[in-house]
Amino acid sequence: MKSSMIVTVLLAAVLAGCGATGSAPQPSPPASTSSAQVHTVETAFGPVSIPRSPRRAIALEGGVGPLLQAGITPLATADGDYPDQFLPAEYQKVKDLPIILGKDGPDLEKIAALKPDLMIGFVRGGKAAELSAEAKAQWQKLNAIAPTVLIRSTGSSQTKDATLAMAEALGHGEEAHAAKKAYEAKAADIRTKHAAVLSRHVFAAVDYYEKVNVYSPISWPGDTLVDAGAKLTPVSRDERQENATFLSLEQLGRLSDSTVLLYEQRPDDTPGEGATELLKQPTWRALPAVKASHAYGLPYFFADRYETGLISLEALDTILSRLE
């Protein structure tokens, strides 16, 4: 599952992988900086003083969009190789940048060699154990290299507000709040304009990564659908601990009551990685919604900020118009 993959690879890497034995590389002594050139922001692990105009930032998970919107192209990224997480113009700016994740977590020596003056991203912390004293100690290894801002998100669906908080930290909160307002206005418009269609249909957002993932309300696609007033399948609608309910391919028949199926669509309009294999399966093709041609690709399926969420809502608007 892509969302779980991102959680496992990136969250674990940022918070756990950096806990290798030995001390973290020590940064060069910072140049003298006046209080007017820095400000303090609240993070998941306490207040951090950061430059008002960072010049050498590294984007941790979720940090690329807020940095680019602030006019800052990061030195390196944790997740620069996922084009479906970025707007096309953004991806062109970051696709060839160094990736600071190694197989065992962040490469601290590589990070230190880049001499960053800021690292920024979000961390999922819905459970107390996820922000434990040990996790904080591990974060301190990154923070020893450069001021590290990790904004807490209490689940995948809350990362939209976490990226907004990053934008505020970078001094671009006004634009981020405008994006949130546009997203909320579009969701309200869909709920009103398509009320009859939404009342008739049951939706399932689905992909396949070793297991079939039927996304829940706390996931990225589930959150977008719920905001638009869609009724989720009973298979996942009550799940509040995991991003999805997991099924085998043989259990896909449990989605027979879902009248609209949605799967990941790449920016080039081809099925996403988690959909390619799923769409080939006989048990998928046997579903009533598929037979009725009510299975659709949804762009920015994993929208982690309001800007990409808005594009996903606009595509959903078009899909619902076909169902009128």
Side-chain angles (χ1 to χ4, degrees), residues 27-28 51 54-59 75 108 110-119 142 145-148:
S28 301
R55 297 178 181 274
R56 301 185 60 81
I58 289 177
L75 296 173
L108 298 181
K110 187 174 184 178
I111 291 171
L114 290 169
K115 299 186 184 302
D117 58 7
L118 174 69
M119 289 186 274
L142 288 174
I145 299 173
T148 299

Side-chain angles (χ1 to χ4, degrees), residues 14 18 24-27 43 45-50 60 108 111 116-119 136-150:
V14 171
C18 57
Q26 294 301 306
T43 79
F45 299 105
V48 174
S49 292
I50 68 170
L60 303 177
L108 298 181
I111 291 171
D117 58 7
L118 174 69
M119 289 186 274
K136 183 174 181 178
Q138 292 166 346
W139 159 79
Q140 287 173 332
K141 293 184 178 182
L142 288 174
N143 198 50
I145 299 173
T148 299
V149 174
L150 288 177

Side-chain angles (χ1 to χ4, degrees), residues 18-310:
C18 57
T21 58
S23 60
Q26 294 301 306
S28 301
S32 177
T33 304
S34 72
S35 60
Q37 294 174 307
V38 301
H39 68 126
T40 301
V41 298
E42 289 298 325
T43 79
F45 299 105
V48 174
S49 292
I50 68 170
R52 291 187 182 276
S53 300
R55 297 178 181 274
R56 301 185 60 81
I58 289 177
L60 303 177
E61 184 186 2
V64 172
L67 282 169
L68 291 177
Q69 288 165 352
I72 303 165
T73 299
L75 296 173
T77 72
D79 50 358
D81 56 347
Y82 294 109
D84 48 341
Q85 294 297 112
F86 308 118
L87 301 175
E90 292 175 346
Y91 182 62
Q92 292 305 310
K93 293 180 179 180
V94 302
K95 66 183 180 70
D96 296 323
L97 293 178
I99 304 298
I100 52 87
L101 287 180
K103 64 178 182 179
D104 297 319
D107 186 331
L108 298 181
E109 291 186 1
K110 187 174 184 178
I111 291 171
L114 290 169
K115 299 186 184 302
D117 58 7
L118 174 69
M119 289 186 274
I120 190 166
F122 57 65
V123 56
R124 293 171 180 82
K127 300 175 183 177
E130 293 180 278
L131 294 179
S132 64
E134 180 183 3
K136 183 174 181 178
Q138 292 166 346
W139 159 79
Q140 287 173 332
K141 293 184 178 182
L142 288 174
N143 198 50
I145 299 173
T148 299
V149 174
L150 288 177
I151 301 296
R152 181 176 181 173
S153 172
T154 56
S156 291
S157 65
Q158 298 302 310
T159 60
K160 295 184 184 72
D161 283 323
T163 55
L164 186 153
M166 286 183 233
E168 290 178 326
L170 294 167
H172 283 255
E174 184 175 341
E175 294 92 332
H177 280 283
K180 179 176 182 177
K181 185 176 180 180
Y183 173 92
E184 291 175 339
K186 186 62 182 178
D189 176 64
I190 289 173
R191 292 194 301 269
T192 301
K193 182 169 66 175
H194 298 296
V197 172
L198 291 166
S199 69
R200 293 199 307 266
H201 288 282
V202 176
F203 295 76
V206 188
D207 68 11
Y208 176 61
Y209 290 92
E210 298 182 352
K211 290 283 188 179
V212 176
N213 307 292
V214 185
Y215 285 98
S216 70
I218 69 168
S219 69
W220 284 322
D223 180 63
T224 301
L225 288 172
V226 169
D227 285 345
K231 294 181 294 186
L232 298 187
T233 171
V235 172
S236 62
R237 70 185 178 197
D238 297 323
E239 177 59 60
R240 291 295 189 278
Q241 298 300 316
E242 299 286 348
N243 284 327
T245 297
F246 309 109
L247 305 177
S248 67
L249 289 170
E250 293 73 24
Q251 292 175 308
L252 269 173
R254 291 181 59 187
L255 295 178
S256 293
D257 64 343
S258 300
T259 55
V260 180
L261 299 172
L262 300 169
Y263 55 85
E264 179 190 0
Q265 178 177 292
R266 294 189 178 103
D268 64 1
D269 296 333
T270 60
E273 182 183 353
T276 302
E277 189 64 28
L278 179 66
L279 271 55
K280 300 176 184 177
Q281 300 300 319
T283 47
W284 169 266
R285 296 196 297 267
L287 289 171
V290 177
K291 290 183 175 181
S293 299
H294 288 167
Y296 305 95
L298 189 68
Y300 296 102
F301 197 70
F302 302 105
D304 63 356
R305 52 195 164 112
Y306 288 108
E307 291 81 358
T308 52
L310 177 60

